[in-house]
Each structure stands twice: as structure tokens, then as C-alpha cells.
Amino acid sequence: MIATGSDEYSEHLAERIGQFIVDSDANSPRSLQSAIGPSDVGEPCERQLSYRIHDWPQVNTRHDPIAAVIGTGFHMWMAEKFEARQTTLANGQPRYRIEERVTVREGSTPNAALAGSSDLFDRLTALNYDWKLVGLSSLDKYRRQGPSQKYRIQAHLYGLGQENAGQPPSRVVVVFIARYHELRVHVWSEPYDKQIALDALARLDRIYQRIYDLNPEAHPERWSQIPTDKAANCRFCPWLKPGSADLSQGCPGAQTEAKSSQLEALIA
């Protein structure tokens, strides 16, 4: 957080307002959620996902919340606007399912059950939408390269949730909107593929089983047996601890580990 003011009094106000935003975000339902959701399943770094599954103490807590706050506000605004244009179809159902909770997989245990709130489902066109408010450079990257695997998996998991609700989508849609001074929108979509969702759930189950087998809570040294991934965004990982040699206290980051491995290979 950077807080400045035109004079000492104003600077004090800026600090208080900034801290209010930080504290309010930290206590929001989104920030307090500990259960795995559809947005987490496609995380490429299995170690980060394992930390989250284990609800391991976070060490990288000094993150800037403003992007998430703006994103939450945008989701609320879109929900309000689609509520205003809601219509009833010939079968008596409302056209839009707006921010409704869907069950991706039922289960009696936390690692079996998976559910989340879908941004928008249009019954008329059978499209499931996911809004993503991103920076301009990210929008350009997604325009050139397509969405990250994490976003793609999330889209199909929500598609499976809609199918479980009796409304299989024809396509899944990710709408990227840039946080910029002019409106820039990029849409990615593809036909809904249930197998993509099932494969992601199978991977999640394998990660759960590995955690059970390794039991890192009793054997902290075994965190090293859980791999990272070069595609991971370590900067925002809640368990990033630069320079850490003890993975039970935090991870030094995928790139740091890769360089260390290369150095060890050269020395050997």
C-alpha cells in the first residue's frame, strides 16, 4: 500500500483509508474462504495447492488488495445489470442464472465436495460466463495466447456444475476486461468438454492422496517431494518466502528452486 497526502493531516487520512481497505478485504468472505473452490483446482503448482488443501499457515500476507476489490465490485455491478434485464423463457424459467452456487462434485468429505458461484449462465444460449478483470498487459497476453490452463479448467468445472444442475452448457466463456481508462474486452470461448473437468478432478484427487501419504504435518521435510511448476505465479502465492530453506515455513519460489537445482547439477 502506498498512501500519500497534500499535507501531514491529509497523509494521515490516506494511511487510515488505505488500511481500512486492506483490513476490510482481509475480512471479506472471499479472503476468509479456506475450502478449495473451482478457481483453485487448475493451479499449476501442486505445492501451492497442497499448502492450500492443508490450510498451512500463510507467510506472504503483504499483498495489495485493490485489484481483488475492484474485481469484486465489477462482479456485483454486472450481476445488478443482468438482474435488471432478466426475462422469463417459454418454459417458465428465468433466462439468467446470476451468481448462483453450483455443485461441481458432491461428497461427504471436504476433499470430495466441490462447489462455487458461477458468474452467469444464459439458459437461452446455453453459455456459461466467467468475468475476469485484468491488467492491460495480461489482457494482451490472453488475447495472444489464450487463457491460462487454470482459467480454462475453472471454466469447464463451472460447466460441469451447470450440467449437474440439469443445464449442460454448449460453450464456456471467459470474458477478459482490462482495468484501463478505456473499455477493452477480449472474449475466449470453446465448446464445453466434461472430460477437461473430470481430468482436473482426478488430478486434485491424486494431490489429496499424496498429501495423505506424505503427511507433511508430521514430516515437514517431505514438502520437498511435492513439486512446483514454472508456470506458477509465485509473486502472489500466500506461501512465498524468498530464500526459505525450510518448506514448512514457506516456499522460496519455483524459479529459485530451479536455479538451485541447476547449480547443484553443475557442482556435481
Side-chain angles (χ1 to χ4, degrees), residues 82-99:
F82 274 97
E83 286 285 4
R85 62 174 295 174
Q86 183 73 276
T87 58
T88 302
L89 300 178
N91 61 8
Q93 290 185 308
R95 175 175 175 177
Y96 302 115
R97 297 188 73 194
I98 305 167
E99 294 287 347

PDB file of all heavy atoms in Angstrom, residues 82-99:
ATOM      1  N   PHE A  82     -27.529  -7.534 -15.051  1.00  0.00           N
ATOM      2  CA  PHE A  82     -28.231  -8.674 -15.635  1.00  0.00           C
ATOM      3  C   PHE A  82     -29.528  -8.972 -14.892  1.00  0.00           C
ATOM      4  O   PHE A  82     -30.505  -9.442 -15.495  1.00  0.00           O
ATOM      5  CB  PHE A  82     -27.323  -9.905 -15.676  1.00  0.00           C
ATOM      6  CG  PHE A  82     -26.462  -9.957 -16.905  1.00  0.00           C
ATOM      7  CD1 PHE A  82     -25.147  -9.506 -16.877  1.00  0.00           C
ATOM      8  CD2 PHE A  82     -26.970 -10.437 -18.105  1.00  0.00           C
ATOM      9  CE1 PHE A  82     -24.351  -9.534 -18.018  1.00  0.00           C
ATOM     10  CE2 PHE A  82     -26.186 -10.472 -19.253  1.00  0.00           C
ATOM     11  CZ  PHE A  82     -24.868 -10.015 -19.210  1.00  0.00           C
ATOM     12  N   GLU A  83     -29.574  -8.671 -13.600  1.00  0.00           N
ATOM     13  CA  GLU A  83     -30.835  -8.786 -12.857  1.00  0.00           C
ATOM     14  C   GLU A  83     -31.869  -7.834 -13.451  1.00  0.00           C
ATOM     15  O   GLU A  83     -33.059  -8.176 -13.574  1.00  0.00           O
ATOM     16  CB  GLU A  83     -30.617  -8.467 -11.376  1.00  0.00           C
ATOM     17  CG  GLU A  83     -29.904  -9.545 -10.578  1.00  0.00           C
ATOM     18  CD  GLU A  83     -30.778 -10.738 -10.254  1.00  0.00           C
ATOM     19  OE1 GLU A  83     -31.945 -10.778 -10.715  1.00  0.00           O
ATOM     20  OE2 GLU A  83     -30.288 -11.650  -9.562  1.00  0.00           O
ATOM     21  N   ALA A  84     -31.411  -6.643 -13.841  1.00  0.00           N
ATOM     22  CA  ALA A  84     -32.319  -5.635 -14.384  1.00  0.00           C
ATOM     23  C   ALA A  84     -32.890  -6.045 -15.742  1.00  0.00           C
ATOM     24  O   ALA A  84     -33.985  -5.606 -16.119  1.00  0.00           O
ATOM     25  CB  ALA A  84     -31.601  -4.291 -14.497  1.00  0.00           C
ATOM     26  N   ARG A  85     -32.156  -6.875 -16.475  1.00  0.00           N
ATOM     27  CA  ARG A  85     -32.635  -7.287 -17.800  1.00  0.00           C
ATOM     28  C   ARG A  85     -33.138  -8.728 -17.809  1.00  0.00           C
ATOM     29  O   ARG A  85     -33.308  -9.333 -18.869  1.00  0.00           O
ATOM     30  CB  ARG A  85     -31.544  -7.099 -18.854  1.00  0.00           C
ATOM     31  CG  ARG A  85     -30.296  -7.921 -18.642  1.00  0.00           C
ATOM     32  CD  ARG A  85     -29.345  -7.779 -19.826  1.00  0.00           C
ATOM     33  NE  ARG A  85     -29.913  -8.338 -21.042  1.00  0.00           N
ATOM     34  CZ  ARG A  85     -29.351  -8.238 -22.242  1.00  0.00           C
ATOM     35  NH1 ARG A  85     -28.231  -7.566 -22.405  1.00  0.00           N
ATOM     36  NH2 ARG A  85     -29.904  -8.789 -23.305  1.00  0.00           N
ATOM     37  N   GLN A  86     -33.383  -9.274 -16.635  1.00  0.00           N
ATOM     38  CA  GLN A  86     -33.874 -10.648 -16.522  1.00  0.00           C
ATOM     39  C   GLN A  86     -35.220 -10.797 -17.222  1.00  0.00           C
ATOM     40  O   GLN A  86     -36.091  -9.936 -17.117  1.00  0.00           O
ATOM     41  CB  GLN A  86     -34.009 -11.030 -15.043  1.00  0.00           C
ATOM     42  CG  GLN A  86     -34.449 -12.451 -14.775  1.00  0.00           C
ATOM     43  CD  GLN A  86     -33.369 -13.470 -15.066  1.00  0.00           C
ATOM     44  OE1 GLN A  86     -33.219 -13.875 -16.221  1.00  0.00           O
ATOM     45  NE2 GLN A  86     -32.634 -13.866 -14.043  1.00  0.00           N
ATOM     46  N   THR A  87     -35.382 -11.892 -17.953  1.00  0.00           N
ATOM     47  CA  THR A  87     -36.644 -12.198 -18.615  1.00  0.00           C
ATOM     48  C   THR A  87     -37.031 -13.644 -18.302  1.00  0.00           C
ATOM     49  O   THR A  87     -36.223 -14.415 -17.776  1.00  0.00           O
ATOM     50  CB  THR A  87     -36.532 -12.027 -20.146  1.00  0.00           C
ATOM     51  OG1 THR A  87     -35.479 -12.878 -20.642  1.00  0.00           O
ATOM     52  CG2 THR A  87     -36.221 -10.575 -20.509  1.00  0.00           C
ATOM     53  N   THR A  88     -38.259 -13.999 -18.649  1.00  0.00           N
ATOM     54  CA  THR A  88     -38.750 -15.360 -18.423  1.00  0.00           C
ATOM     55  C   THR A  88     -38.886 -16.071 -19.755  1.00  0.00           C
ATOM     56  O   THR A  88     -39.460 -15.537 -20.714  1.00  0.00           O
ATOM     57  CB  THR A  88     -40.116 -15.333 -17.706  1.00  0.00           C
ATOM     58  OG1 THR A  88     -39.981 -14.636 -16.464  1.00  0.00           O
ATOM     59  CG2 THR A  88     -40.603 -16.747 -17.429  1.00  0.00           C
ATOM     60  N   LEU A  89     -38.347 -17.288 -19.827  1.00  0.00           N
ATOM     61  CA  LEU A  89     -38.402 -18.073 -21.050  1.00  0.00           C
ATOM     62  C   LEU A  89     -39.762 -18.754 -21.193  1.00  0.00           C
ATOM     63  O   LEU A  89     -40.582 -18.757 -20.267  1.00  0.00           O
ATOM     64  CB  LEU A  89     -37.287 -19.118 -21.045  1.00  0.00           C
ATOM     65  CG  LEU A  89     -35.859 -18.575 -20.948  1.00  0.00           C
ATOM     66  CD1 LEU A  89     -34.861 -19.728 -20.892  1.00  0.00           C
ATOM     67  CD2 LEU A  89     -35.543 -17.648 -22.115  1.00  0.00           C
ATOM     68  N   ALA A  90     -39.977 -19.362 -22.344  1.00  0.00           N
ATOM     69  CA  ALA A  90     -41.258 -20.002 -22.630  1.00  0.00           C
ATOM     70  C   ALA A  90     -41.563 -21.136 -21.654  1.00  0.00           C
ATOM     71  O   ALA A  90     -42.733 -21.427 -21.372  1.00  0.00           O
ATOM     72  CB  ALA A  90     -41.269 -20.526 -24.066  1.00  0.00           C
ATOM     73  N   ASN A  91     -40.500 -21.765 -21.119  1.00  0.00           N
ATOM     74  CA  ASN A  91     -40.716 -22.868 -20.173  1.00  0.00           C
ATOM     75  C   ASN A  91     -40.937 -22.386 -18.739  1.00  0.00           C
ATOM     76  O   ASN A  91     -41.031 -23.200 -17.819  1.00  0.00           O
ATOM     77  CB  ASN A  91     -39.542 -23.844 -20.217  1.00  0.00           C
ATOM     78  CG  ASN A  91     -38.210 -23.193 -19.836  1.00  0.00           C
ATOM     79  OD1 ASN A  91     -38.174 -22.042 -19.400  1.00  0.00           O
ATOM     80  ND2 ASN A  91     -37.123 -23.922 -20.022  1.00  0.00           N
ATOM     81  N   GLY A  92     -40.990 -21.065 -18.563  1.00  0.00           N
ATOM     82  CA  GLY A  92     -41.253 -20.510 -17.242  1.00  0.00           C
ATOM     83  C   GLY A  92     -40.020 -20.240 -16.414  1.00  0.00           C
ATOM     84  O   GLY A  92     -40.120 -19.670 -15.317  1.00  0.00           O
ATOM     85  N   GLN A  93     -38.845 -20.619 -16.912  1.00  0.00           N
ATOM     86  CA  GLN A  93     -37.609 -20.384 -16.179  1.00  0.00           C
ATOM     87  C   GLN A  93     -37.048 -18.998 -16.491  1.00  0.00           C
ATOM     88  O   GLN A  93     -37.211 -18.489 -17.607  1.00  0.00           O
ATOM     89  CB  GLN A  93     -36.556 -21.433 -16.543  1.00  0.00           C
ATOM     90  CG  GLN A  93     -36.842 -22.829 -16.030  1.00  0.00           C
ATOM     91  CD  GLN A  93     -35.686 -23.762 -16.335  1.00  0.00           C
ATOM     92  OE1 GLN A  93     -35.234 -23.855 -17.472  1.00  0.00           O
ATOM     93  NE2 GLN A  93     -35.203 -24.471 -15.326  1.00  0.00           N
ATOM     94  N   PRO A  94     -36.369 -18.399 -15.509  1.00  0.00           N
ATOM     95  CA  PRO A  94     -35.677 -17.139 -15.817  1.00  0.00           C
ATOM     96  C   PRO A  94     -34.535 -17.402 -16.780  1.00  0.00           C
ATOM     97  O   PRO A  94     -33.899 -18.456 -16.730  1.00  0.00           O
ATOM     98  CB  PRO A  94     -35.177 -16.665 -14.451  1.00  0.00           C
ATOM     99  CG  PRO A  94     -35.116 -17.893 -13.610  1.00  0.00           C
ATOM    100  CD  PRO A  94     -36.221 -18.780 -14.095  1.00  0.00           C
ATOM    101  N   ARG A  95     -34.278 -16.435 -17.666  1.00  0.00           N
ATOM    102  CA  ARG A  95     -33.232 -16.639 -18.674  1.00  0.00           C
ATOM    103  C   ARG A  95     -31.863 -16.795 -18.043  1.00  0.00           C
ATOM    104  O   ARG A  95     -31.074 -17.651 -18.445  1.00  0.00           O
ATOM    105  CB  ARG A  95     -33.220 -15.473 -19.661  1.00  0.00           C
ATOM    106  CG  ARG A  95     -32.075 -15.575 -20.662  1.00  0.00           C
ATOM    107  CD  ARG A  95     -32.120 -14.493 -21.718  1.00  0.00           C
ATOM    108  NE  ARG A  95     -30.939 -14.583 -22.579  1.00  0.00           N
ATOM    109  CZ  ARG A  95     -30.729 -13.806 -23.632  1.00  0.00           C
ATOM    110  NH1 ARG A  95     -31.617 -12.887 -23.971  1.00  0.00           N
ATOM    111  NH2 ARG A  95     -29.618 -13.969 -24.362  1.00  0.00           N
ATOM    112  N   TYR A  96     -31.566 -15.973 -17.044  1.00  0.00           N
ATOM    113  CA  TYR A  96     -30.213 -15.938 -16.486  1.00  0.00           C
ATOM    114  C   TYR A  96     -30.150 -16.576 -15.101  1.00  0.00           C
ATOM    115  O   TYR A  96     -31.027 -16.358 -14.252  1.00  0.00           O
ATOM    116  CB  TYR A  96     -29.715 -14.497 -16.367  1.00  0.00           C
ATOM    117  CG  TYR A  96     -29.689 -13.737 -17.666  1.00  0.00           C
ATOM    118  CD1 TYR A  96     -30.528 -12.639 -17.851  1.00  0.00           C
ATOM    119  CD2 TYR A  96     -28.843 -14.106 -18.710  1.00  0.00           C
ATOM    120  CE1 TYR A  96     -30.517 -11.915 -19.038  1.00  0.00           C
ATOM    121  CE2 TYR A  96     -28.827 -13.399 -19.907  1.00  0.00           C
ATOM    122  CZ  TYR A  96     -29.672 -12.308 -20.064  1.00  0.00           C
ATOM    123  OH  TYR A  96     -29.667 -11.608 -21.240  1.00  0.00           O
ATOM    124  N   ARG A  97     -29.092 -17.334 -14.892  1.00  0.00           N
ATOM    125  CA  ARG A  97     -28.700 -17.733 -13.537  1.00  0.00           C
ATOM    126  C   ARG A  97     -27.529 -16.815 -13.169  1.00  0.00           C
ATOM    127  O   ARG A  97     -26.464 -16.888 -13.787  1.00  0.00           O
ATOM    128  CB  ARG A  97     -28.256 -19.194 -13.476  1.00  0.00           C
ATOM    129  CG  ARG A  97     -29.318 -20.194 -13.838  1.00  0.00           C
ATOM    130  CD  ARG A  97     -28.821 -21.612 -13.558  1.00  0.00           C
ATOM    131  NE  ARG A  97     -28.775 -21.880 -12.130  1.00  0.00           N
ATOM    132  CZ  ARG A  97     -28.142 -22.916 -11.585  1.00  0.00           C
ATOM    133  NH1 ARG A  97     -27.449 -23.744 -12.341  1.00  0.00           N
ATOM    134  NH2 ARG A  97     -28.152 -23.101 -10.277  1.00  0.00           N
ATOM    135  N   ILE A  98     -27.728 -15.965 -12.180  1.00  0.00           N
ATOM    136  CA  ILE A  98     -26.764 -14.910 -11.875  1.00  0.00           C
ATOM    137  C   ILE A  98     -26.121 -15.165 -10.515  1.00  0.00           C
ATOM    138  O   ILE A  98     -26.820 -15.200  -9.489  1.00  0.00           O
ATOM    139  CB  ILE A  98     -27.451 -13.534 -11.882  1.00  0.00           C
ATOM    140  CG1 ILE A  98     -28.159 -13.310 -13.225  1.00  0.00           C
ATOM    141  CG2 ILE A  98     -26.444 -12.425 -11.619  1.00  0.00           C
ATOM    142  CD1 ILE A  98     -29.122 -12.147 -13.221  1.00  0.00           C
ATOM    143  N   GLU A  99     -24.807 -15.359 -10.510  1.00  0.00           N
ATOM    144  CA  GLU A  99     -24.066 -15.592  -9.268  1.00  0.00           C
ATOM    145  C   GLU A  99     -24.722 -16.684  -8.427  1.00  0.00           C
ATOM    146  O   GLU A  99     -24.843 -16.566  -7.209  1.00  0.00           O
ATOM    147  CB  GLU A  99     -23.965 -14.286  -8.454  1.00  0.00           C
ATOM    148  CG  GLU A  99     -23.132 -13.189  -9.103  1.00  0.00           C
ATOM    149  CD  GLU A  99     -21.633 -13.476  -9.070  1.00  0.00           C
ATOM    150  OE1 GLU A  99     -21.209 -14.383  -8.335  1.00  0.00           O
ATOM    151  OE2 GLU A  99     -20.884 -12.784  -9.801  1.00  0.00           O
TER     152      GLU A  99
END
